[in-house]
Amino acid sequence: MDIGTLVGLGMCWAIFVASILIGGASPLIYINIPSVVMVLGSSFFALFVANPLSRILGIFKIFMQTVRLPAYEMEKTIRIMVEFSERARREGLLALEDNLQELDDEFMRRGIQLVVDGTDPEIIKSILYNEVNQIEARHSSNIKVFDTWGTLFPAFGMLGTLVGLIAMLANLQDQSTLGAGMALALITTLYGSMGANMFCIPVAAKLNDRTKTEMLFKEVVIEGVLSIQSGDNPRILLEKLIAFLPPAQRDGVRQEGKD
Amino acid sequence: MDIGTLVGLGMCWAIFVASILIGGASPLIYINIPSVVMVLGSSFFALFVANPLSRILGIFKIFMQTVRLPAYEMEKTIRIMVEFSERARREGLLALEDNLQELDDEFMRRGIQLVVDGTDPEIIKSILYNEVNQIEARHSSNIKVFDTWGTLFPAFGMLGTLVGLIAMLANLQDQSTLGAGMALALITTLYGSMGANMFCIPVAAKLNDRTKTEMLFKEVVIEGVLSIQSGDNPRILLEKLIAFLPPAQRDGVRQEGKD
Amino acid sequence: MDIGTLVGLGMCWAIFVASILIGGASPLIYINIPSVVMVLGSSFFALFVANPLSRILGIFKIFMQTVRLPAYEMEKTIRIMVEFSERARREGLLALEDNLQELDDEFMRRGIQLVVDGTDPEIIKSILYNEVNQIEARHSSNIKVFDTWGTLFPAFGMLGTLVGLIAMLANLQDQSTLGAGMALALITTLYGSMGANMFCIPVAAKLNDRTKTEMLFKEVVIEGVLSIQSGDNPRILLEKLIAFLPPAQRDGVRQEGKD
Amino acid sequence: MDIGTLVGLGMCWAIFVASILIGGASPLIYINIPSVVMVLGSSFFALFVANPLSRILGIFKIFMQTVRLPAYEMEKTIRIMVEFSERARREGLLALEDNLQELDDEFMRRGIQLVVDGTDPEIIKSILYNEVNQIEARHSSNIKVFDTWGTLFPAFGMLGTLVGLIAMLANLQDQSTLGAGMALALITTLYGSMGANMFCIPVAAKLNDRTKTEMLFKEVVIEGVLSIQSGDNPRILLEKLIAFLPPAQRDGVRQEGKD
Amino acid sequence: MDIGTLVGLGMCWAIFVASILIGGASPLIYINIPSVVMVLGSSFFALFVANPLSRILGIFKIFMQTVRLPAYEMEKTIRIMVEFSERARREGLLALEDNLQELDDEFMRRGIQLVVDGTDPEIIKSILYNEVNQIEARHSSNIKVFDTWGTLFPAFGMLGTLVGLIAMLANLQDQSTLGAGMALALITTLYGSMGANMFCIPVAAKLNDRTKTEMLFKEVVIEGVLSIQSGDNPRILLEKLIAFLPPAQRDGVRQEGKD
């Protein structure tokens, strides 16, 4: 579980609500169901226009990616790569087939399988990089759902405020309800801004960050697979792959590599 | 028919109108024909300045693309490619001419025709990629119409509001009509924002998404055509092409490939 | 003459003015010469700072490009290219010199001349592409004048409004002129927004579109010239060049090619 | 001296001030020293945070670049290049050393010196292009100072207005000073917007334009130097280099080349 | 210590506070603890959602980078490179091992070590460039924290103002507290804008500038290491490396190179 996402969302909303309560005004004045329906509903269906149906229906699954921690273990993966490289030099590329089941990561397994099958290095490179590019394209389409929502939310908030203002201004005779009418009109802007800044924008940023981490992991795997196939020295392979890590994590990998 | 576009547009507007009706104000105060004419008309003719005439006259046809579902069947196309590849290896590239009529997709037919004619691979690649780039350029010009409209709409909405405000302020003596004057002034901002957020922006996003899907499909076709010409192993061709698909759709293609 | 630009500008302003007249307020309240001078004059001289003198002095000539229709005849050009290609294969590259005078387009003539002179293909390619890049760079500098003006216009509009507001607020005693003062202050914002949205932004968009069309035309010429020099089959040349056209225009070119 | 920059800045401010004077309000209400100090001072020190000290201390020197006209004489440079090319073909590359002192431009001299020294063409290319890239990087860092200031100016203007508004609202009892207080609050927004639109933004645009011109000039020099070294025909060199010029300037260079 | 950052931050805030004190209003009206908690707290926890936990926990360390001066000594590094190059040509690449301890910079040491080990130039290039790219990617993720905060700050400021406005408008009966309520509501906008413009935006700009300087330094090292390995003439190496320096710093390096 990604504690950052959960604690972040929880605390962000908690502090916000607490500051309203401390302000002394009745919290009820901030709740208006028709306004929620309008801002949330209209902007959500505008997303339907902007996206293919399947992507919208999977929106909850996309969000859940920010709550689950990704399973990429860069350091372990680099060690496995070095081991495979050593074995391939000792016993030949075909010997790697025995260890394929050990691999948790589907992408790495597929890469090594292509090597074991004796596929041409250029073709392996093109297949794996193409796959990575397609994953990135699909991820960025998913992220764009939240990006678009993050811009539609305040837009529909403002639309609601305009509707409220016009109604209020067209009916100015009753000055006693002026303040309440305007407060109601502003509530949709508040909802729109909350939806964007307290949900969509940070979620899209986290999804973006996750995609970058995944792409980095997959690049390490491709570099490793191609290096194993070309019979690189395992020491060189290690140097190549730890260049992807931040310096602080390198010594651990180097150490275990020597054991 | 793309249900997402229709349901999305319908529900987005329905919820918006319903929330107005629930608000209790007379819906008539939101309707002002001169304001519609100004915001819609002026911004539309500004599009005339910004675009060549032919593109503006085709604007309805461009919009209709978001309502019709595209006919790209990636999985079927990949299976056809694999079949063609097998046949080409058994009976030679010329034998593919017999199957050309079976192909629904004009682009794929053109590619295979070039292969059958014995055209040089580099030339085929350059012709097909050039065509894809030109298609993308034409699509992005079309999308830009809606993008530009989406920025002109709120701008003309604000222009209308300024016109209304100035008229109202220049004539402040009659305080009783103050509210109504201001309500009227705000209506153009409402129209402009509705035109942008409830039509242009989501439509442009869908058109963008469609273009990406089409480009992906055409890339699969080019990859397949070149692979067939170079006599790649059909198994390798299959691996190459399914790397374009999301993992969930791959097994189906693999299965049928074995039958 | 580009009817789109003229009709667009005319109708955009006509509808706008008509909607003001219909509004019932005296049109005179929207006219204030000092405000025009300030918004138009100050923003224009800020353009002087931002651009070299020669570009500013040529601003009217730049604008006129949006009114004149460009003379690129893609289809005719492709047919000429195919004819040249046939002749070059029959009678040798030198024979093309006789037809050079027939060519209206200076760029195409220059390219064929380089071929006739026996210049190295790499050098021809570098000269022609360099020329195209320089043209694009000069065009984009020109477009930027209108882009910059389109952002300075509303900025100076707002500056004028601030000046007016401060004068009005510093002199609040006379409440009877309050409305008129504020109306006057808002007029510069109106002018700034009109200058940007009803002139600069659409004009810059059209100039951009024109540049794209010209670049496409010049790319077709370069592709054709290099293909003629390398002695490509005229049928292949035709295929290469019509890939630049939208599908609907291709059959016409193909047909004539056969005649 | 770049007349455009001076006349532009002068007229932009003159028209602005004149329109204030014509407005009839006392010009003194627009002058408030503490507001100047706040907007100018705070935003300037925020620039200190954003940039290395040396760049900020050189800000006046950077600005002066927009006032001095650059000394690039493209046409003369091309003619010199062609002469050098002719001499190198007649008398050998070493003979160019005698003419090195004639060259005003340090960059061209350095390039020819490398040729005379018999440096490898690849190394010359990498040294000269690297130098150009570094110049561009340093220029764009300098331009960014004005870019950043152009966004900080209105931000600090708004900060000042918020400070003024809060003070005024917290002290509403004295309604007689309400207007004056608000006028004072708005003055910082006016200053911020003036600083951005009447100084920083146009200056940054001019610096940008200058950088582009310099890069173009240096590209011509590199192209010429490499062409001289490789012993290109002077006629080809001329064709290559005049492709960088706008068509109107070409005939003059061609003519003199023939004399 | 980077005096620019410290003086800049100090003076920016000092001038801002001083201008408030000079304004004459009680400074207490600008302090509201619940508003601070809301704007600072909510936006900070939104950063938790947007970033991995480790990056947020290191945010203070990231900020401290703007206060410490970087230790890159370009001129000294270039001189060392030239010395290494001379020694390598005299005594062979292996002789460089003796001098490795002299090198302060870990990255340069690693590069020379790879050379001494006899690693293939292509592999050295790929390892070092990959490391540089990863460093840049990590830096840009760090910078993005402040970038994101710089956009969330004003957004949460506006959210607080909306909350305050709605409370005030819903409770308009007591007109005496109207001004104070509105002043309080605006305070969150003030805090949000201060957080963005007086902290996050300038800090992110400085971090960006630092990254560019570091990348330039590392590029010089890579260029030098590869040049040493390929046995380039030390004079050529010097020319290559000083092309990275601004002209004013070159003569010093050239001079010492001759001693």
Side-chain angles (χ1 to χ4, degrees):
Chain A
M1 291 262 282
D2 184 332
I3 292 177
T5 306
L6 295 176
V7 169
L9 274 180
M11 288 298 288
C12 177
W13 285 78
I15 290 176
F16 193 75
V17 170
S19 77
I20 287 178
L21 294 177
I22 287 170
S26 156
L28 291 177
I29 61 171
Y30 296 102
I31 298 174
N32 183 266
I33 302 298
S35 298
V36 175
V37 170
M38 203 222 92
V39 175
L40 199 70
S42 291
S43 65
F44 185 68
F45 280 106
L47 281 185
F48 261 71
V49 184
N51 290 280
L53 206 56
S54 56
R55 200 183 293 146
I56 293 298
L57 298 179
I59 199 171
F60 184 71
K61 254 173 80 181
I62 300 173
F63 166 67
M64 286 307 287
Q65 289 174 15
T66 66
V67 176
R68 265 191 299 269
L69 271 180
Y72 313 119
E73 294 172 85
M74 289 284 272
E75 302 167 36
K76 192 181 145 199
T77 303
I78 293 177
R79 281 198 301 270
I80 292 177
M81 284 289 179
V82 174
E83 277 168 35
F84 271 63
S85 161
E86 283 162 351
R87 185 147 190 209
R89 279 164 70 100
R90 266 198 325 268
E91 311 170 32
L93 289 169
L94 285 177
L96 298 180
E97 189 142 37
D98 309 341
N99 301 77
L100 270 182
Q101 277 81 312
E102 294 172 20
L103 299 177
D104 298 330
D105 186 71
E106 149 77 22
F107 185 73
M108 192 167 16
R109 206 159 51 222
R110 197 164 170 223
I112 302 285
Q113 181 69 59
L114 285 165
V115 168
V116 170
D117 292 353
T119 317
D120 185 77
E122 274 315 299
I123 292 179
I124 294 186
K125 201 173 172 178
S126 117
I127 288 178
L128 295 184
Y129 268 116
N130 188 25
E131 175 139 7
V132 168
N133 291 340
Q134 298 310 323
I135 292 173
E136 194 171 16
R138 284 192 296 270
H139 280 16
S140 88
S141 294
N142 288 345
I143 294 168
K144 223 169 183 176
V145 177
F146 285 92
D147 269 343
T148 312
W149 213 0
T151 58
L152 287 176
F153 250 131
F156 278 90
M158 207 201 72
L159 275 173
T161 298
L162 282 168
V163 166
L165 273 181
I166 291 171
M168 192 195 78
L169 289 165
N171 199 16
L172 266 188
Q173 293 84 332
D174 186 0
Q175 295 246 356
S176 69
T177 61
L178 190 71
M182 191 133 160
L184 197 59
L186 280 180
I187 274 183
T188 54
T189 292
L190 177 68
Y191 290 167
S193 186
M194 286 170 74
N197 293 295
M198 296 171 75
F199 186 70
C200 291
I201 292 173
V203 162
K206 176 78 108 201
L207 286 170
N208 236 319
D209 202 83
R210 287 285 169 81
T211 300
K212 271 189 206 158
T213 317
E214 188 178 340
M215 291 305 109
L216 186 64
F217 173 77
K218 290 206 156 39
E219 227 182 299
V220 167
V221 170
I222 295 178
E223 190 76 36
V225 164
L226 294 174
S227 203
I228 288 172
Q229 188 178 35
S230 71
D232 273 357
N233 184 324
R235 202 181 43 78
I236 294 290
L237 172 63
L238 180 66
E239 283 300 310
K240 268 188 180 174
L241 298 190
I242 64 173
F244 286 95
L245 293 181
Q249 292 173 29
R250 287 179 193 169
D251 282 341
V253 184
R254 271 204 189 97
Q255 221 48 42
E256 292 222 25
K258 285 180 186 154
D259 299 345
Chain B
M1 291 261 282
D2 184 333
I3 293 177
T5 306
L6 295 176
V7 170
L9 273 180
M11 288 298 288
C12 177
W13 285 79
I15 290 176
F16 193 76
V17 170
S19 78
I20 287 178
L21 295 177
I22 286 170
S26 155
L28 291 176
I29 61 171
Y30 296 101
I31 297 174
N32 184 265
I33 301 298
S35 298
V36 174
V37 170
M38 204 222 92
V39 175
L40 200 69
S42 290
S43 66
F44 184 68
F45 280 105
L47 280 185
F48 262 70
V49 184
N51 289 280
L53 207 57
S54 57
R55 201 183 292 145
I56 293 298
L57 298 179
I59 199 172
F60 185 71
K61 254 173 80 182
I62 300 172
F63 166 69
M64 286 307 289
Q65 290 174 15
T66 66
V67 176
R68 266 191 299 269
L69 270 180
Y72 314 119
E73 294 173 86
M74 289 284 271
E75 302 168 36
K76 192 181 146 200
T77 302
I78 293 177
R79 281 198 300 270
I80 291 177
M81 285 289 179
V82 174
E83 277 167 35
F84 271 62
S85 161
E86 283 162 352
R87 183 145 190 212
R89 279 165 71 100
R90 265 198 325 267
E91 311 171 32
L93 289 169
L94 285 177
L96 297 179
E97 190 142 37
D98 309 340
N99 300 77
L100 270 182
Q101 278 81 310
E102 295 172 19
L103 298 177
D104 299 329
D105 186 71
E106 149 78 21
F107 184 73
M108 192 166 17
R109 205 159 50 221
R110 196 164 170 223
I112 301 284
Q113 182 69 59
L114 285 165
V115 168
V116 169
D117 293 352
T119 317
D120 185 78
E122 274 314 298
I123 291 179
I124 295 186
K125 201 173 173 178
S126 118
I127 288 178
L128 295 184
Y129 268 116
N130 187 24
E131 175 140 7
V132 168
N133 291 341
Q134 299 309 324
I135 293 173
E136 194 170 16
R138 283 193 296 270
H139 280 15
S140 89
S141 293
N142 288 345
I143 293 168
K144 223 169 183 174
V145 177
F146 285 92
D147 268 344
T148 312
W149 212 1
T151 58
L152 287 176
F153 250 131
F156 278 91
M158 207 200 72
L159 274 173
T161 298
L162 283 168
V163 166
L165 273 181
I166 291 171
M168 191 196 80
L169 289 164
N171 199 16
L172 266 188
Q173 293 84 333
D174 187 359
Q175 295 246 356
S176 69
T177 62
L178 190 70
M182 191 135 161
L184 197 59
L186 280 180
I187 273 183
T188 54
T189 292
L190 177 69
Y191 290 168
S193 185
M194 285 170 75
N197 293 295
M198 295 172 74
F199 186 69
C200 290
I201 292 173
V203 163
K206 176 78 105 201
L207 287 170
N208 236 319
D209 202 82
R210 286 286 168 82
T211 299
K212 271 189 205 157
T213 317
E214 189 178 340
M215 292 303 109
L216 187 65
F217 172 76
K218 291 207 156 38
E219 227 182 300
V220 167
V221 170
I222 295 178
E223 189 76 37
V225 164
L226 294 174
S227 203
I228 288 171
Q229 187 178 36
S230 71
D232 273 357
N233 184 325
R235 201 180 44 77
I236 293 290
L237 172 63
L238 179 66
E239 283 301 311
K240 268 189 182 175
L241 299 190
I242 63 175
F244 286 94
L245 293 181
Q249 292 174 29
R250 287 179 194 168
D251 282 341
V253 184
R254 270 205 190 96
Q255 221 48 42
E256 292 221 26
K258 283 180 186 154
D259 298 346
Chain C
M1 290 261 281
D2 185 332
I3 293 177
T5 306
L6 294 176
V7 170
L9 274 180
M11 288 298 287
C12 177
W13 285 78
I15 291 176
F16 193 76
V17 170
S19 77
I20 287 178
L21 295 177
I22 287 171
S26 156
L28 292 176
I29 60 171
Y30 296 101
I31 298 174
N32 184 265
I33 302 298
S35 298
V36 175
V37 171
M38 204 222 91
V39 174
L40 200 69
S42 290
S43 65
F44 184 67
F45 280 105
L47 280 186
F48 262 70
V49 184
N51 289 281
L53 206 56
S54 57
R55 201 182 293 145
I56 293 298
L57 298 179
I59 199 171
F60 184 71
K61 253 172 79 181
I62 300 172
F63 167 68
M64 285 307 289
Q65 289 175 15
T66 66
V67 175
R68 265 191 300 269
L69 269 180
Y72 314 118
E73 294 173 86
M74 290 283 272
E75 301 167 38
K76 192 181 146 200
T77 302
I78 294 177
R79 280 198 300 270
I80 291 177
M81 286 288 180
V82 173
E83 277 167 36
F84 270 63
S85 161
E86 283 162 352
R87 184 144 191 213
R89 279 165 70 102
R90 266 200 323 270
E91 311 170 33
L93 289 170
L94 286 176
L96 298 181
E97 191 143 36
D98 309 341
N99 300 77
L100 270 182
Q101 278 81 310
E102 295 172 19
L103 298 177
D104 299 329
D105 187 71
E106 148 78 21
F107 184 74
M108 193 168 15
R109 205 158 51 221
R110 197 165 169 223
I112 301 285
Q113 182 69 59
L114 285 165
V115 167
V116 169
D117 293 352
T119 318
D120 186 78
E122 273 315 299
I123 291 179
I124 295 186
K125 201 173 172 178
S126 118
I127 288 178
L128 296 183
Y129 268 117
N130 188 24
E131 176 140 5
V132 168
N133 291 341
Q134 299 309 323
I135 293 172
E136 194 171 17
R138 283 192 296 269
H139 280 14
S140 89
S141 293
N142 288 344
I143 294 167
K144 221 167 184 176
V145 177
F146 286 92
D147 269 344
T148 312
W149 212 0
T151 58
L152 287 176
F153 251 131
F156 278 91
M158 207 200 73
L159 275 172
T161 298
L162 283 167
V163 166
L165 272 181
I166 291 170
M168 191 196 79
L169 289 165
N171 199 16
L172 265 188
Q173 292 85 332
D174 186 0
Q175 296 246 354
S176 69
T177 62
L178 190 72
M182 193 133 160
L184 196 59
L186 280 181
I187 273 183
T188 53
T189 292
L190 177 68
Y191 290 168
S193 185
M194 285 170 74
N197 293 295
M198 296 171 74
F199 185 69
C200 290
I201 292 173
V203 162
K206 177 77 106 202
L207 287 170
N208 236 320
D209 202 83
R210 287 285 168 83
T211 299
K212 271 190 205 156
T213 316
E214 188 178 339
M215 292 303 110
L216 187 64
F217 172 76
K218 289 205 157 39
E219 226 182 301
V220 167
V221 170
I222 295 178
E223 190 76 36
V225 165
L226 294 174
S227 203
I228 288 172
Q229 187 178 37
S230 72
D232 273 359
N233 185 325
R235 201 181 44 77
I236 293 291
L237 173 63
L238 179 66
E239 283 301 310
K240 267 188 181 175
L241 298 190
I242 63 174
F244 285 94
L245 294 181
Q249 292 174 29
R250 286 179 195 168
D251 282 341
V253 184
R254 271 205 190 97
Q255 222 47 44
E256 293 221 24
K258 284 180 187 154
D259 300 345
Chain D
M1 291 261 282
D2 184 333
I3 292 177
T5 306
L6 294 176
V7 169
L9 274 180
M11 289 297 288
C12 177
W13 285 78
I15 291 176
F16 193 76
V17 169
S19 77
I20 287 179
L21 295 177
I22 286 170
S26 156
L28 291 176
I29 61 171
Y30 296 102
I31 298 174
N32 184 264
I33 302 298
S35 298
V36 175
V37 171
M38 203 221 92
V39 175
L40 199 69
S42 291
S43 65
F44 184 67
F45 281 105
L47 280 186
F48 261 71
V49 184
N51 289 280
L53 205 56
S54 57
R55 201 182 293 147
I56 293 297
L57 297 180
I59 198 171
F60 184 71
K61 254 171 78 180
I62 301 173
F63 166 68
M64 285 307 289
Q65 289 174 16
T66 66
V67 176
R68 266 191 299 269
L69 271 180
Y72 313 119
E73 293 173 86
M74 289 285 270
E75 301 167 39
K76 192 182 145 199
T77 303
I78 293 177
R79 280 198 301 270
I80 291 177
M81 286 289 180
V82 173
E83 277 168 36
F84 271 63
S85 162
E86 284 162 352
R87 183 145 191 213
R89 280 166 71 100
R90 267 198 324 268
E91 311 170 32
L93 289 170
L94 285 177
L96 298 180
E97 191 142 36
D98 310 340
N99 301 77
L100 270 182
Q101 278 80 310
E102 296 171 20
L103 298 178
D104 299 329
D105 187 71
E106 149 78 21
F107 184 73
M108 193 168 14
R109 205 159 51 222
R110 197 164 170 222
I112 302 285
Q113 182 69 61
L114 285 165
V115 168
V116 169
D117 293 352
T119 318
D120 186 77
E122 273 315 298
I123 291 179
I124 295 186
K125 200 174 174 178
S126 118
I127 288 178
L128 296 184
Y129 268 116
N130 188 23
E131 176 141 5
V132 168
N133 291 340
Q134 298 309 322
I135 292 173
E136 193 171 18
R138 283 193 297 270
H139 279 14
S140 88
S141 293
N142 288 344
I143 294 167
K144 221 168 184 176
V145 176
F146 286 93
D147 269 344
T148 312
W149 212 1
T151 58
L152 287 176
F153 250 131
F156 278 90
M158 206 201 73
L159 275 173
T161 298
L162 283 168
V163 166
L165 273 182
I166 291 170
M168 191 196 79
L169 289 165
N171 199 16
L172 266 188
Q173 293 85 333
D174 186 0
Q175 295 246 355
S176 69
T177 62
L178 189 71
M182 192 134 160
L184 196 60
L186 279 181
I187 273 183
T188 54
T189 292
L190 177 68
Y191 290 168
S193 185
M194 285 170 74
N197 294 295
M198 296 171 75
F199 185 70
C200 290
I201 292 173
V203 163
K206 176 77 105 200
L207 287 170
N208 235 319
D209 202 82
R210 287 285 169 83
T211 300
K212 270 189 205 156
T213 316
E214 188 178 341
M215 292 304 109
L216 187 64
F217 172 76
K218 289 205 158 40
E219 227 182 300
V220 167
V221 171
I222 295 178
E223 190 75 37
V225 165
L226 295 174
S227 203
I228 288 171
Q229 186 177 39
S230 71
D232 273 358
N233 185 324
R235 203 181 43 77
I236 292 291
L237 172 63
L238 180 66
E239 283 300 310
K240 266 188 182 175
L241 298 190
I242 63 174
F244 285 95
L245 294 180
Q249 292 174 29
R250 287 181 194 166
D251 283 341
V253 184
R254 271 206 190 95
Q255 221 48 42
E256 293 221 25
K258 284 180 188 156
D259 299 345
Chain E
M1 290 261 282
D2 184 333
I3 293 177
T5 306
L6 295 176
V7 169
L9 273 180
M11 289 297 288
C12 177
W13 284 78
I15 290 176
F16 193 76
V17 170
S19 78
I20 286 178
L21 295 177
I22 287 170
S26 155
L28 292 175
I29 61 172
Y30 296 101
I31 298 174
N32 184 267
I33 302 297
S35 297
V36 175
V37 170
M38 204 221 92
V39 175
L40 200 70
S42 291
S43 66
F44 184 68
F45 280 106
L47 281 186
F48 261 71
V49 184
N51 290 280
L53 205 57
S54 57
R55 200 182 293 147
I56 293 298
L57 297 179
I59 199 171
F60 184 72
K61 255 171 79 181
I62 300 173
F63 166 68
M64 285 307 288
Q65 289 174 15
T66 67
V67 175
R68 265 192 300 268
L69 271 180
Y72 313 119
E73 294 173 86
M74 288 285 271
E75 302 168 38
K76 193 181 145 198
T77 303
I78 293 178
R79 281 198 300 269
I80 292 177
M81 285 288 178
V82 174
E83 277 168 35
F84 270 63
S85 162
E86 284 162 352
R87 184 147 190 209
R89 280 165 70 101
R90 266 198 325 267
E91 310 170 32
L93 290 169
L94 285 177
L96 299 179
E97 190 142 36
D98 308 341
N99 301 77
L100 270 182
Q101 277 80 313
E102 296 171 19
L103 298 176
D104 299 330
D105 187 71
E106 150 77 21
F107 185 73
M108 193 169 11
R109 206 159 51 223
R110 198 167 168 220
I112 302 286
Q113 182 69 59
L114 285 165
V115 168
V116 170
D117 293 353
T119 317
D120 186 77
E122 274 315 298
I123 291 178
I124 295 186
K125 200 173 173 179
S126 116
I127 288 179
L128 295 183
Y129 268 116
N130 188 24
E131 176 140 4
V132 168
N133 292 340
Q134 298 311 322
I135 292 172
E136 194 170 17
R138 283 193 297 271
H139 279 14
S140 88
S141 293
N142 288 345
I143 293 168
K144 222 168 184 175
V145 176
F146 286 92
D147 268 343
T148 312
W149 213 0
T151 58
L152 287 176
F153 250 130
F156 277 90
M158 207 201 73
L159 275 172
T161 298
L162 283 168
V163 166
L165 273 182
I166 291 171
M168 192 196 79
L169 288 165
N171 199 16
L172 266 187
Q173 292 85 333
D174 186 1
Q175 295 245 357
S176 69
T177 61
L178 190 69
M182 193 134 160
L184 196 61
L186 280 180
I187 273 183
T188 54
T189 292
L190 176 69
Y191 290 168
S193 185
M194 286 170 75
N197 293 295
M198 295 171 74
F199 186 70
C200 291
I201 292 173
V203 162
K206 176 79 107 201
L207 287 170
N208 236 319
D209 202 83
R210 287 285 168 81
T211 299
K212 271 189 204 158
T213 316
E214 188 178 341
M215 292 303 109
L216 186 65
F217 172 76
K218 290 206 156 38
E219 227 181 299
V220 167
V221 170
I222 295 178
E223 191 75 37
V225 164
L226 294 174
S227 203
I228 288 171
Q229 187 178 37
S230 71
D232 273 358
N233 184 325
R235 201 182 43 78
I236 293 290
L237 173 62
L238 179 66
E239 283 300 310
K240 267 188 182 174
L241 298 191
I242 63 173
F244 285 95
L245 293 181
Q249 292 174 29
R250 287 179 193 169
D251 283 340
V253 184
R254 270 204 190 99
Q255 221 47 42
E256 293 221 25
K258 284 180 186 156
D259 299 344

